[in-house]
Amino acid sequence: FDKRRCQRLDLSGNARNCYLTGNPDSYRNFTGKGLRCLLDVPNTEVYRNAHHGSGRFCSQSSQPLGEKIPSLQISSVGQLPHRFPAWNIQIIRSFHTSPSLQAAPVPLFWIIVKPAQKLFAIILGRSIRKWWKALPPNKRELFKQSARKNKWKILLGVSSLGVVFVMFYFTHLEETPITGRPRLMVFGKEHFRELSQMEYDMWMDLFKSQMLPETDAGYQVVETIVGHLSESNKDIPQVSALKWVIHVVDEPAVNAFVLPNGQVFVFTGLLDAVSDIHQLSFILGHEIAHAVLEHAAEKASLVHFLDFLSLIFLTMIWAICPRDSLAVVGQWIQSKLQEFMFDRPYSRTLEAEADKVGLQFAAKACVDVRASSVFWQQMELAEAIEGQPKLPEWLSTHPSHENRAEHLDRLIPEALKIRESCNCPSLSGPDPRLIFRLNMKRLLELAEGREAPNSTKQDPSKPKLDFPHT
């Protein structure tokens, strides 16, 4: 990062002692204090499923974010205020409709024909099996002898097909913006902009009666944060190229997502759940990173490539299996192997990349990046309190909360250097990660006290801890 002019920002809000965060449908009280924090920010699966750039510098925005948004501090009962002061901010909100008689985007076309492709592979494989069974024994033997005689020709044909796939893969590789990671891109971003417009129309039809007006304080909070993140990272072409349009949905689900065309959707459940503005900035930075890094087109490209390859295996399964029931089982096994060996690990890679780039976006905006790690620790704690089963990471499309927090902890020192290179104000107050750990110890102490309410003696082997009030 070049040490040029950048946004000066002093984001206060040191109160981050969040214990519990709830799920998209409900919030839970903990130790009778009604503490609310963000637990889960599930990402929409419509498209989903992003550090070393060159020439980046810190951008000077027109007005410090600290002057636009006051500190978001938890009240005495641990809740965020439901109404924020109003700001004098005007951003034109544009609504678009798809033009009539427009050709369907290429990704949409392949999504539509995908079932037909699988059906064709099944019919072809089944027909080959029936043809083979109908052959007399002598003709089968002659066919086997001919195959053994021409085995090198057959091997050459199969190898040629493999070379075609390899050439297709390497000729469609490109570098990911910002990170420089090589990736397969079959679909262009123009196609996905068209598809995202259709998706945008769908969401607007679904939530048209729940959209908050631009004068709403919650809307202005999101508007200001997104505007500040984009202004602070406008040196990145992919950020400045998109027009970020805010939509705040009056919905209790704790959710936020950004479409590839820059349409930002945030649910009020998220605004009621975050513990401070730093966590909200990191979450929005993460979602913006997905759009900037074009993860939607990348994931769809990989799925399309793997699905095309799987048609060959699907045909072989239905041709080799002696009965339809075994072929169905083989098809299910093949789909699960693809899902758990390629699709889900790749989704976890994209999530980790979005965390990394989103953290960089937040650092350049002078956000307290240390709050990002606390966010995922809160999620892990709340799931444990709610008794939710802890599934292995390989079963999920997202990294586990614990691994995600550890990953961010490793990235935070670099993010702090980015803040320093942008001449951001020094972070004041204690490290939110330390506060969280102290609060965890306090919770354990309270839990032990509830387990032995009649006990008046203190175990001399356990020294009494004196925690500072936060």
Side-chain angles (χ1 to χ4, degrees):
F1 291 92
D2 297 332
K3 293 187 178 180
R4 305 183 185 179
R5 295 186 304 167
C6 84
Q7 173 61 48
R8 287 185 174 271
L9 171 65
D10 188 5
L11 289 174
S12 56
N14 296 323
R16 299 182 191 85
N17 37 332
C18 276
Y19 305 118
L20 177 61
T21 60
N23 54 43
D25 300 319
S26 63
Y27 299 104
R28 304 268 310 267
N29 291 331
F30 187 69
T31 64
K33 295 186 179 182
L35 298 174
R36 286 185 185 176
C37 300
L38 178 64
L39 192 200
D40 198 4
V41 185
N43 293 303
T44 301
E45 296 294 339
V46 176
Y47 293 113
R48 317 185 49 215
N49 29 268
H51 96 106
H52 35 273
S54 60
R56 286 195 288 168
F57 58 94
C58 303
S59 302
Q60 177 74 36
S61 61
S62 59
Q63 184 180 1
L65 184 61
E67 298 177 7
K68 300 177 183 178
I69 302 181
S71 304
L72 298 185
Q73 297 190 359
I74 302 174
S75 62
S76 58
V77 293
Q79 297 180 352
L80 285 175
H82 290 272
R83 290 293 165 190
F84 305 95
W87 297 271
N88 183 20
I89 302 171
Q90 296 294 330
I91 292 182
I92 297 176
R93 195 174 179 183
S94 58
F95 293 87
H96 306 280
T97 56
S98 299
S100 59
L101 302 178
Q102 184 180 14
V106 174
L108 181 61
F109 171 77
W110 286 112
I111 291 173
I112 295 173
V113 302
K114 181 178 176 180
Q117 290 175 321
K118 287 190 174 182
L119 182 61
F120 174 77
I122 292 173
I123 294 175
L124 178 61
R126 200 167 182 267
S127 300
I128 294 174
R129 186 213 311 162
K130 286 188 173 183
W131 168 79
W132 179 257
K133 286 185 177 181
L135 285 178
N138 59 330
K139 288 190 176 182
R140 290 188 190 177
E141 189 61 31
L142 288 175
F143 191 85
K144 290 179 182 179
Q145 291 178 1
S146 177
R148 286 193 291 266
K149 183 179 179 180
N150 298 284
K151 60 182 180 180
W152 293 112
K153 294 181 180 179
I154 297 174
L155 182 61
L156 180 61
V158 173
S159 301
S160 300
L161 184 62
V163 170
V164 170
F165 278 106
V166 171
M167 290 180 61
F168 178 85
Y169 179 85
F170 282 102
T171 54
H172 287 77
L173 284 180
E174 67 174 40
E175 285 191 355
T176 306
I178 303 176
T179 63
R181 173 179 53 85
R183 62 179 179 182
L184 175 70
M185 287 293 281
V186 178
F187 302 118
K189 57 184 179 181
E190 301 82 11
H191 298 139
F192 260 82
R193 296 274 171 84
E194 298 173 12
L195 191 59
S196 62
Q197 183 62 46
M198 299 174 63
E199 179 68 12
Y200 164 72
D201 294 336
M202 184 196 75
W203 284 116
M204 293 304 297
D205 289 339
L206 181 62
F207 297 123
K208 59 184 176 182
S209 61
Q210 299 172 263
M211 290 292 180
L212 296 184
E214 297 178 19
T215 56
D216 185 89
Y219 176 92
Q220 293 179 355
V221 169
V222 177
E223 177 187 78
T224 307
I225 292 177
V226 172
H228 183 68
L229 287 171
S230 61
E231 179 69 17
S232 302
N233 293 273
K234 65 182 180 182
D235 55 290
I236 301 174
Q238 291 77 12
V239 175
S240 58
L242 287 174
K243 181 179 180 180
W244 306 98
V245 183
I246 312 302
H247 310 279
V248 180
V249 184
D250 189 8
E251 177 72 24
V254 184
N255 196 7
F257 59 91
V258 179
L259 300 182
N261 60 354
Q263 304 288 341
V264 181
F265 286 82
V266 178
F267 293 177
T268 54
L270 175 60
L271 302 182
D272 293 336
V274 290
S275 59
D276 56 38
I277 207 171
H278 306 286
Q279 289 188 357
L280 182 59
S281 298
F282 165 71
I283 295 165
L284 294 177
H286 168 91
E287 297 302 331
I288 289 174
H290 277 304
V292 168
L293 299 170
E294 301 168 356
H295 281 169
E298 178 181 352
K299 182 65 184 296
S301 298
L302 177 70
V303 171
H304 177 67
F305 182 75
L306 293 177
D307 283 346
F308 197 77
L309 283 176
S310 68
L311 294 177
I312 300 174
F313 293 100
L314 187 60
T315 304
M316 293 174 58
I317 289 172
W318 279 87
I320 295 174
C321 291
R323 296 191 300 273
D324 288 349
S325 58
L326 293 177
V328 171
V329 174
Q331 180 180 346
W332 180 84
I333 293 174
Q334 181 261 337
S335 64
K336 291 302 177 183
L337 286 176
Q338 176 181 330
E339 179 182 357
F340 291 108
M341 292 180 64
F342 296 100
D343 295 345
R344 298 200 177 193
Y346 203 78
S347 293
R348 292 194 294 269
T349 299
L350 298 185
E351 287 298 318
E353 190 174 45
D355 276 345
K356 180 178 182 178
V357 175
L359 191 67
Q360 294 177 4
F361 288 170
K364 292 178 68 176
C366 297
V367 172
D368 188 351
V369 293
R370 302 172 299 180
S372 60
S373 174
V374 178
F375 168 72
W376 294 111
Q377 294 179 62
Q378 291 170 185
M379 294 179 68
E380 182 182 12
L381 172 62
E383 285 191 356
I385 294 172
E386 293 179 353
Q388 297 183 17
K390 190 174 183 179
L391 298 176
E393 185 179 78
W394 60 273
L395 290 175
S396 175
T397 57
H398 290 61
S400 67
H401 303 329
E402 180 181 4
N403 290 341
R404 213 161 188 176
E406 292 177 356
H407 179 238
L408 287 168
D409 272 332
R410 293 192 295 268
L411 296 175
I412 284 174
E414 179 188 356
L416 292 175
K417 292 180 181 179
I418 294 175
R419 288 186 85 260
E420 184 180 356
S421 68
C422 290
N423 297 321
C424 295
S426 301
L427 294 171
S428 60
D431 191 326
R433 295 171 292 181
L434 175 61
I435 295 177
F436 182 81
R437 286 194 293 268
L438 292 177
N439 285 330
M440 283 291 295
K441 292 180 181 179
R442 179 62 177 169
L443 289 177
L444 293 175
E445 186 182 68
L446 293 175
E448 292 176 357
R450 287 195 300 271
E451 291 176 359
N454 298 325
S455 176
T456 58
K457 295 182 180 180
Q458 182 179 352
D459 188 349
S461 63
K462 296 180 179 180
K464 184 177 179 180
L465 298 178
D466 184 18
F467 295 98
H469 176 72
T470 57

